[in-house]
Amino acid sequence: MGAHHPHTVEVLAYLQEIKPSDGWSTPLSSNGKVRLLRRGVPVNDAGFLFLFHDVRARYIVGVTSVQRDVIGRGVVLVDGSGNVSREPRDVRVTLPASSNFRASSSSSSSNPRTTSTSSFMGSNAPVGGSSPTLATPLNTPSMSPEDQMQLLKYGLMLLGLIVVLKVIFAAMFSIYILLLPGLFIYAVQTCPSDDSFEAKKELKRVLRGHHLPDDHPSKPKDWLSRTIARVSATVATELATGLGYEISMQNYFGALTIAWVGVPTAKEEFYWVGIFGKWRYVLQRNTDEDGKNKRD
C-alpha cells in the first residue's frame, strides 16, 4: 500500500535523483507500513502510511495520520537536499487534493504496478489495459505556514525598529531646536573681546606646537623638549615680528570672532577663532605660495 502510494514513489524518485549513490529504498514493514531506508539502514524505526515531499517546507515527511484527506501529521525524515534529519520532529503537512489516502490505497492494491509506473514516469498512456492516468504533480514552491509566521515576525520587528528610530530622531530634533537658541546666547555672552587677543603670545603657542594633539610626532613630550620648543618659538616670533605684523578682527553676530595675523617678513598668515571664551588656532597659510600660484 504505502510503498506504491504516488507520493512515496515521487519521494523515492526525488531522492534517487539528488543522491543517487545513497541507495534509497522504501520497503514495507511487517505491519504493512512503508519505511525509508538509506543504504539498507532505516532512517526512522517507525513505519508510515506513505512518504510525502513537502516542497514548500523543503523536507521529506513520513506521514503517520491523515485527517479530512488533505491534512496530515508526520515526522521529518530528510531535508530538501537529501540529508537525513538528525532530530526527527513531528510536523503538520498540507496534502494536495489528489492525496486521498484511502482512494490511492485501494487503487494501488488493485493494480500496484500500474499506479507505481504511471506516477513515476508521468505517462498519459494506459499501462496493462488500465485507463489513462496523469502523474501526480509536485506542489508548486511556496512558503510554508511556519515560514510565513517567521516572515511576519521579522516584518513586525522591522516596523517597530522604524517607529523607534523615528521617535528618537524626532526627540533629538526637538532637543536641538530647544538648545540652539540657548547655545547661541551662551556664545554671545562668552565671546572673547578683541583686546583679549595677544598676537605674539598666540604665535608663540602655535610655533611651539601647543595646538598639536598629544600623539603627534612633533608634539614635545618631556620637560627638556618643551623648554627647547618654548625658547625656539620665542626667538622665531621676535625675529618674524621685529619688522612689524598685521592684525585683522572680524566679528560675526556677536557670537564668534575671526582673528587674522599676517607676518610679511615670514610670508605667513595665521587664523584663530574666538568662541566660548577662548581663542582657538585654526590654520597657517604661506602667502608666498599663493603669489606664485597667481603668477602661474
Side-chain angles (χ1 to χ4, degrees), residues 75-95:
V75 178
V76 177
L77 303 177
V78 181
D79 63 23
S81 301
N83 300 315
V84 177
S85 178
R86 296 184 178 181
E87 297 181 0
R89 63 184 188 278
D90 184 72
V91 294
R92 178 177 179 271
V93 293
T94 302
L95 306 171

Side-chain angles (χ1 to χ4, degrees), residues 11-192:
V11 167
L12 182 59
Y14 173 74
L15 292 176
Q16 290 176 343
E17 179 182 356
I18 63 173
K19 290 291 184 71
S21 61
D22 280 11
W24 300 101
S25 60
T26 55
L28 292 177
S29 60
S30 58
N31 58 0
K33 300 292 183 67
V34 67
R35 303 174 71 187
L36 178 62
L37 275 63
R38 178 176 178 267
R39 295 172 181 163
V41 179
V43 173
N44 191 289
D45 294 334
F48 307 99
L49 298 178
F50 58 92
L51 305 179
F52 177 66
H53 181 195
D54 195 328
V55 179
R56 295 173 299 178
R58 298 186 294 277
Y59 45 58
I60 306 298
V61 181
V63 179
T64 57
S65 63
V66 178
Q67 302 172 354
R68 298 189 300 277
D69 296 335
V70 294
I71 304 297
R73 298 204 66 84
V75 178
V76 177
L77 303 177
V78 181
D79 63 23
S81 301
N83 300 315
V84 177
S85 178
R86 296 184 178 181
E87 297 181 0
R89 63 184 188 278
D90 184 72
V91 294
R92 178 177 179 271
V93 293
T94 302
L95 306 171
S98 60
S99 297
N100 189 320
F101 180 68
R102 291 185 293 274
S104 300
S105 300
S106 60
S107 174
S108 61
S109 299
S110 62
N111 195 352
R113 178 177 295 275
T114 301
T115 305
S116 175
T117 305
S118 300
S119 300
F120 178 72
M121 299 299 294
S123 173
N124 294 330
V127 179
S130 61
S131 58
T133 57
L134 293 175
T136 305
L138 292 174
N139 293 334
T140 56
S142 58
M143 298 183 65
S144 65
E146 292 83 359
D147 292 338
Q148 292 178 358
M149 291 298 297
Q150 194 75 3
L151 182 61
L152 179 61
K153 176 182 175 182
Y154 290 147
L156 292 176
M157 291 174 60
L158 179 60
L159 181 60
L161 179 62
I162 293 175
V163 172
V164 171
L165 290 177
K166 289 183 67 175
V167 172
I168 293 176
F169 286 141
M172 292 177 61
F173 181 74
S174 300
I175 294 174
Y176 175 76
I177 293 298
L178 293 175
L179 291 180
L180 187 60
L183 188 65
F184 177 75
I185 294 174
Y186 176 74
V188 171
Q189 292 179 345
T190 59
C191 181

